[in-house]
Amino acid sequence: LLDRGIVYATAGLYPQQGTFACALNANDGSLLWQQPLDVSPEGYLLATDSLLIIPTGRASPVGLDRNSGRFIRAFDTGGGTY
């Protein structure tokens, strides 16, 4: 996801093997933040003014702070595919 000069990305599939979210400066590729995740990121990222929302396949999406990568919340849902 590219927004406001920042590239947001996730990597990894199995949390026990390492899954991450990160933010990169779109101009020079420098790392702004990197956050380990305890979920499997699966699907297209979504950004609000303050959150980076990460879909997790059949589990509930999670939201990270866009500026720091800090975990903010899990979205309580009934499950399904997002």
Side-chain angles (χ1 to χ4, degrees), residues 9-24:
T10 59
L13 182 60
Y14 302 110
Q16 62 272 29
Q17 295 178 350
T19 55
F20 300 90
C22 67
L24 305 165

Side-chain angles (χ1 to χ4, degrees), residues 4 6-9 21-23 32-35 37 46-54 62-75:
R4 301 179 198 166
I6 300 174
V7 175
Y8 298 95
C22 67
L32 302 174
W33 56 257
Q34 180 175 313
Q35 179 67 36
L37 300 172
L46 174 68
T48 70
D49 285 337
S50 60
L51 287 177
L52 176 65
I53 300 170
I54 302 172
V62 296
L64 305 181
D65 180 275
R66 280 183 64 163
N67 295 320
S68 67
R70 183 176 60 88
F71 176 84
I72 299 295
R73 65 174 290 194
F75 292 86

